Amino acid sequence: MSPDLSPAERFAAAKTRVKTPKLQAFRSRLGFTLDPFQIAACAALEEGDSVLVAAPTGAGKTLVAEYAIHLAMQDPRAKVFYTAPMKALSNQKFQELVAEYGASEVGLLTGDTNVNSRARIVVMTTEVLRNMIYAGSEMLTDLRYVVLDEVHFLADRFRGAVWEEVIIHLPLDVRLISLSATVSNAEEFGDWLQTVRGSTEVIVSEDRPVPLDQHVLVGGKFLDLFDSSGQAATNRVNPELLRATSLGRRGGRSGGRRDSHSSGRTGPRGHVVPPTQGGPGRLDRWKIVEMLDDQNLLPAIFFVFSRVGCDQAVSQVLRSGIRLTTADQRREIREIVEARCRTLRDEDLAVLGYWRWLDGLERGVAAHHAGLLPAFKEVVEELFQKKLVKVVFATETLALGINMPARTVVLEKLEKFNGEARVPITPGEYTQLTGRAGRRGIDVEGHSLIQWQQGLDPQAVASLASRRTYPMNSSFRPTYNMAVNLIEQFGRSRTREVLETSFAQFQADRSVVDLARKVRSQQQSLDGYAASMACHLGDFGEYTMLRREVGDLEKQGAARADSQSRAERDKRQRRIVELRRQVRQHPCHACPDREQHARWSERWFKLKKQTDQLSAQIRSRTGAVAKVFDRVTDVLLDRGYLLPTGTNAGGAGRVPRDAEVTVAPTGRTLRRIYGDRDLLVAESLRLGLWNMLDVPSMAAMAATLVYEPRRDEGQLSERFLPRGEFRAALDATQLLWAELDDLEHEHRLPGSQPPAPGLALAMHRWARGAALDSVLDDADLAAGDFVRWTKQTIDLLDQLSVVGDLPVGPTARQALDAVRRGIVAYTAVGP
């Protein structure tokens, strides 16, 4: 114990040791001191609470999860599940836990991978756990802890609902360890967890373990983003940066050119940078890499918000002849690459650009994005962690939890394409990206470097870099699969109550509380205005309505003078004359205080309109999730997946919302179908639309149901579709989709996207054994994208093989085996 502690602090520390003996034993095994937030979270776990830990990237949140695993392993029967949002994260965590606890104690379940699933520690994707809960899996027996890593994925509009389903439906005696990036509403999320899970401790830390120095590269000169003189207010923009960028903006292209060819520019530690040839005011990438290398600021991650941009950046750097590795490092890189890629077929290596990729790795440079083959991405991650690859050009997906910290993060731009337009990155995204800078236990500080370009405002950059607004908002919505699963377990009315415990409804209710408070406040003002406009001669509100209608008609006449017929104008004029007569005859027209009353009346009407709008918002938000559930239930009743209690067949017409329902036999099939097109799949099976499909056509149909086409992908002609029974089955499936889409819109549901056959021909040929190069050419996809879509196809085929009757079930199993080959079958879950 430190001699610097006061007697009171020593007493408090001793009390903590007595209260949490397991934590003290755990700490004694570590070779480092725990941070206060880690101690607080671990102590809460030992006391039997669930925890929500919100802290910056690299702060050490996963240590809390490791402590939960440590606690579980003290009990010979207890199990712990570790969930992650992405398979890459699951694989990484699996390998770490195998190294710690041994292969016999650790399992992995990611949908397409099943390793030692009966182990006491099982790593899995969140979807796998959700499916287990709905299936009532016996694997949930003796489950003590569940780690929800990257729980802020709950806000993801495509997959976020899965996190809420898990949190709501896990047995209440299971303790949750929820790990999140720094979010601005952690307390709100913690309050919801407390409501649905019981005792939950919320631990928030905004302290980066490694301080971040933020720079802007103007021309060839590193300039601090913030004033570091010590005499300025916090987050004040560096005056030198303002002067430098102001000169660049005034100079335009010529000013930039003079700056780019000037001499004597220096890096952060006095390094002179050669003049750029890459355009006004911007250095070529290879020169930035050289600068960072000379200043000992590698390894670095350059975030480039496009895959093509990442690949081009690697090519540009390699063309410069740059080499960042020693002979020994190059030998080690080649050994690792050959060991990890030994299962890839020789004929596929050239198609995958293996030799060019290996050349970049041996020189210390690589790309990292979703289009890269998963095997290649995993190798890049491993080599970067081992400090063998020094520079990675990556898309923002790398910022999502993968363990790849760097000394420096470079942002070439502060905007990205979101699928529709180029938009600025958010403060939350900026925080995620720069969170990679600074390796705990290695770096004294991390560095972020923003490349300045024309139009970039230093004040806006400073605002982006100093804000920490990253709210977590629910994306939860009931699905058909969810509805039949919950109704089977709880019944209709109880399910509605369960769904109203979702975070989505919790947030809506919170907003309703604020809105209701505002309505009450405005109602008091309305009462005051009503009293002030009251007239002893008559109803001044009625009098005001007449005057307002006259005014509205006169405004309409002026606005539509050129577009109305003479008859319409005459009709409006007669109405105005009649209203004016009623105004003059109204008792309040003679009141000496008429205009004073009128002023209060206008205030009343204006505020009443605002209050009515707020009340409408309250009505729309109250029970919002349950309303969507009711609409989903109505669709299922219409299609016979649910039945009114006491009946054996569908077609019973409208069923009252408060009436109980039961799950029909077809509904039990739907219970085991997961995905955006769950009802379409169930209906296609029920109607036998795929009974005539052979193995390659079944693979093509599954691909059609999971594939999401690019925005620029037009309508396919028939010559780009597989021949034979597939085309008839596709036509029938598309007609069924249109029918269901109409039904959903009839019930005020948003509907879904139609089946997309853009990958069908490639998947058909792949299932028939075609070579990789020809299939990738058919698909017009990068290898990584093809593997990703094929694994989603495999997931659906696996579901069909279980729920499908003859002949669909066996055909789907054969199709699964046919497409799980070559680069698709590769897995890197070994050591």
Side-chain angles (χ1 to χ4, degrees):
M1 185 178 296
S2 171
D4 298 331
L5 295 178
S6 69
E9 289 170 328
R10 287 199 296 271
F11 176 75
K15 188 176 179 181
T16 300
R17 286 197 301 274
V18 171
K19 196 174 181 182
T20 56
K22 294 177 182 177
L23 175 56
Q24 304 317 310
F26 178 72
R27 292 174 69 178
S28 66
R29 293 171 29 193
L30 304 174
F32 53 87
T33 303
L34 297 187
D35 290 339
F37 85 88
Q38 294 170 323
I39 295 172
C42 292
L45 282 176
E46 185 163 346
E47 292 170 13
D49 295 335
S50 293
V51 294
L52 166 64
V53 182
T57 300
K61 296 185 290 291
T62 54
L63 183 134
V64 181
E66 291 165 12
Y67 181 61
I69 295 170
H70 169 79
L71 288 177
M73 299 305 283
Q74 307 304 304
D75 182 335
R77 294 176 59 86
K79 292 192 293 192
V80 57
F81 290 169
Y82 194 111
T83 76
M86 293 182 294
K87 292 177 183 178
L89 285 174
S90 298
N91 291 340
Q92 191 175 75
K93 182 52 63 176
F94 170 76
Q95 293 172 15
E96 292 172 4
L97 290 172
V98 165
E100 175 73 18
Y101 292 99
S104 64
E105 296 286 6
V106 187
L108 176 67
L109 287 171
T110 61
D112 59 351
T113 303
N114 185 330
V115 178
N116 197 19
S117 61
R118 299 286 174 177
R120 292 178 58 204
I121 307 167
V122 185
V123 183
M124 62 186 67
T125 55
T126 319
E127 282 85 354
V128 168
L129 177 54
R130 186 272 311 273
N131 298 353
M132 272 189 198
I133 293 171
Y134 282 163
S137 172
E138 62 180 21
M139 291 177 63
L140 297 171
T141 304
D142 295 323
L143 180 61
R144 187 69 52 81
Y145 298 99
V146 166
V147 178
L148 295 176
D149 201 357
E150 308 286 337
V151 75
H152 51 273
F153 262 77
L154 180 144
D156 183 86
R157 67 191 182 98
F158 297 109
R159 300 173 56 212
V162 176
W163 274 258
E164 289 192 51
E165 292 176 74
V166 166
I167 292 168
I168 292 170
H169 300 304
L170 263 179
L172 288 177
D173 60 345
V174 176
R175 299 291 88 190
L176 280 187
I177 299 89
S178 304
L179 308 179
S180 170
T182 304
V183 292
S184 52
N185 60 335
E187 289 77 9
E188 178 189 40
F189 184 56
D191 287 347
W192 174 68
L193 288 173
Q194 178 87 21
T195 301
V196 296
R197 301 295 313 170
S199 183
T200 302
E201 194 73 23
V202 180
I203 293 103
V204 178
S205 173
E206 297 193 14
D207 295 329
R208 280 181 54 99
V210 179
L212 179 67
D213 285 354
Q214 304 186 75
H215 315 282
V216 179
L217 181 63
V218 183
K221 191 172 184 180
F222 265 69
L223 294 173
D224 289 340
L225 174 58
F226 296 111
D227 189 339
S228 57
S229 64
Q231 302 174 354
T234 306
N235 295 338
R236 178 192 173 202
V237 179
N238 180 7
E240 186 181 358
L241 174 61
L242 290 173
R243 285 194 297 271
T245 55
S246 174
L247 285 171
R249 286 196 297 271
R250 285 201 303 268
R253 286 188 61 84
S254 60
R257 190 176 296 113
R258 283 195 300 273
D259 179 61
S260 68
H261 290 282
S262 63
S263 60
R265 293 167 293 141
T266 59
R269 301 176 193 175
H271 172 65
V272 178
V273 181
T276 179
Q277 306 299 319
R282 287 176 69 87
L283 284 179
D284 288 335
R285 289 180 174 117
W286 68 269
K287 291 179 180 175
I288 300 174
V289 171
E290 277 195 340
M291 179 199 307
L292 295 175
D293 189 28
D294 289 346
Q295 296 302 303
N296 195 27
L297 293 177
L298 297 181
I301 298 171
F302 285 66
F303 281 109
V304 182
F305 298 120
S306 84
R307 302 175 186 185
V308 172
C310 292
D311 293 333
Q312 289 176 343
V314 171
S315 298
Q316 290 165 8
V317 171
L318 295 182
R319 279 200 302 270
S320 74
I322 207 164
R323 189 179 296 280
L324 303 170
T325 54
T326 65
D328 288 342
Q329 288 174 330
R330 290 192 288 277
R331 188 162 45 250
E332 185 178 357
I333 288 169
R334 182 173 283 271
E335 288 173 359
I336 291 172
V337 171
E338 290 176 350
R340 297 292 178 264
C341 298
R342 65 182 181 275
T343 60
L344 297 176
R345 295 163 37 148
D346 289 344
E347 57 265 37
D348 291 342
L349 295 181
V351 178
L352 298 170
Y354 173 84
W355 304 109
R356 183 165 46 87
W357 172 69
L358 177 59
D359 178 50
L361 294 178
E362 289 184 333
R363 290 161 65 178
V365 182
H368 188 288
H369 55 72
L372 207 61
L373 188 70
F376 287 8
K377 279 201 297 185
E378 291 160 9
V379 168
V380 171
E381 291 159 13
E382 181 179 355
L383 295 178
F384 195 80
Q385 291 164 15
K386 291 183 174 181
K387 308 173 195 173
L388 296 171
V389 163
K390 310 300 176 68
V391 173
V392 169
F393 293 93
T395 56
E396 69 268 32
T397 54
L398 186 145
L400 300 175
I402 298 171
N403 182 27
M404 283 182 65
R407 177 163 293 173
T408 304
V409 163
V410 180
L411 300 179
E412 295 192 347
K413 293 182 179 179
L414 295 179
E415 62 178 21
K416 65 176 185 177
F417 186 70
N418 67 356
E420 296 180 357
R422 299 208 66 83
V423 296
I425 63 173
T426 66
E429 289 168 333
Y430 181 89
T431 302
Q432 284 280 92
L433 297 170
T434 57
R436 291 281 154 210
R439 298 163 299 175
R440 187 167 187 167
I442 301 174
D443 297 322
V444 177
E445 73 275 321
H447 297 267
S448 70
L449 179 63
I450 298 165
Q451 270 196 281
W452 185 81
Q453 57 184 330
Q454 292 290 340
L456 192 63
D457 179 8
Q459 296 285 3
V461 175
S463 174
L464 182 73
S466 59
R467 290 167 61 201
R468 292 293 178 266
T469 53
Y470 188 71
M472 180 162 52
N473 295 315
S474 173
S475 60
F476 183 83
R477 63 177 180 82
T479 65
Y480 299 111
N481 169 274
M482 185 192 304
V484 292
N485 271 293
L486 296 181
I487 289 172
E488 179 83 355
Q489 286 184 270
F490 304 117
R492 187 184 196 179
S493 59
R494 172 68 181 135
T495 294
R496 189 185 286 107
E497 295 173 8
V498 168
L499 293 177
E500 287 185 332
T501 67
S502 66
F503 187 45
Q505 191 59 54
F506 185 83
Q507 288 190 305
D509 290 343
R510 282 264 172 124
S511 67
V512 163
V513 170
D514 293 335
L515 289 172
R517 186 181 298 117
K518 191 170 184 179
V519 166
R520 285 195 298 272
S521 172
Q522 292 187 178
Q523 190 60 54
Q524 292 176 355
S525 299
L526 284 170
D527 293 342
Y529 293 168
S532 299
M533 75 179 190
C535 178
H536 66 288
L537 296 177
D539 185 345
F540 203 88
E542 180 183 75
Y543 175 71
T544 301
M545 287 296 292
L546 294 171
R547 287 177 45 150
R548 289 174 68 86
E549 189 175 351
V550 171
D552 289 344
L553 287 170
E554 289 175 339
K555 288 177 185 176
Q556 289 174 14
R560 303 176 186 174
D562 298 330
S563 61
Q564 285 189 322
S565 67
R566 183 186 183 102
E568 288 173 324
R569 289 198 298 270
D570 289 346
K571 181 180 178 182
R572 185 179 61 252
Q573 190 58 39
R574 287 195 299 271
R575 178 60 179 162
I576 291 173
V577 170
E578 172 59 23
L579 287 171
R580 284 176 174 166
R581 183 187 64 78
Q582 293 180 29
V583 167
R584 289 194 299 270
Q585 292 178 354
H586 197 282
C588 292
H589 190 67
C591 179
D593 298 324
R594 182 183 68 201
E595 294 310 311
Q596 183 177 347
H597 292 328
R599 284 192 293 272
W600 285 109
S601 174
E602 284 303 312
R603 294 175 189 173
W604 186 91
F605 273 102
K606 185 176 181 181
L607 188 60
K608 180 68 166 61
K609 184 178 179 181
Q610 294 175 1
T611 305
D612 288 345
Q613 290 172 343
L614 292 175
S615 297
Q617 289 184 48
I618 290 173
R619 287 192 299 273
S620 69
R621 296 183 189 186
T622 302
V625 176
K627 289 174 185 173
V628 175
F629 166 72
D630 286 334
R631 294 166 190 165
V632 166
T633 303
D634 288 342
V635 170
L636 293 172
L637 283 162
D638 276 356
R639 303 301 289 195
Y641 288 86
L642 297 175
L643 300 172
T645 299
T647 66
N648 296 313
R654 287 282 181 254
V655 179
R657 291 279 168 83
D658 57 351
E660 271 304 335
V661 296
T662 57
V663 178
T666 50
R668 296 189 178 96
T669 298
L670 180 56
R671 285 189 64 192
R672 293 178 290 173
I673 299 172
Y674 301 95
D676 289 340
R677 296 192 173 102
D678 47 7
L679 183 58
L680 178 61
V681 172
E683 280 284 81
S684 298
L685 292 175
R686 183 175 70 85
L687 298 171
L689 302 187
W690 305 334
N691 287 358
M692 301 303 293
L693 294 179
D694 59 12
V695 168
S697 297
M698 185 66 74
M701 181 58 69
T704 297
L705 293 169
V706 300
Y707 180 59
E708 295 173 11
R710 296 185 296 268
R711 293 176 60 84
D712 58 352
E713 195 169 299
Q715 186 72 28
L716 287 178
S717 70
E718 285 208 353
R719 67 191 183 91
F720 293 110
L721 295 174
R723 297 182 182 278
E725 295 292 343
F726 174 83
R727 295 187 182 182
L730 176 63
D731 288 343
T733 305
Q734 289 175 326
L735 283 173
L736 175 60
W737 168 83
E739 182 182 337
L740 293 176
D741 193 57
D742 289 343
L743 181 62
E744 287 174 325
H745 284 107
E746 179 186 328
H747 287 285
R748 291 182 294 158
L749 290 169
S752 62
Q753 292 298 310
L759 192 57
L761 181 59
M763 193 62 63
H764 190 275
R765 298 191 63 230
W766 181 251
R768 291 171 55 198
L772 177 64
D773 57 347
S774 65
V775 169
L776 292 181
D777 187 54
D778 283 339
D780 190 24
L781 288 175
D785 289 322
F786 178 72
V787 170
R788 177 164 55 90
W789 290 121
T790 305
K791 289 194 172 184
Q792 291 190 36
T793 300
I794 287 172
D795 186 49
L796 177 55
L797 289 170
D798 187 39
Q799 294 179 43
L800 294 177
S801 73
V802 173
V803 303
D805 295 327
L806 290 171
V808 170
T811 305
R813 174 54 57 184
Q814 294 174 55
L816 186 157
D817 294 336
V819 298
R820 190 160 56 192
R821 66 180 181 87
I823 62 171
V824 177
Y826 170 88
T827 179
V829 299

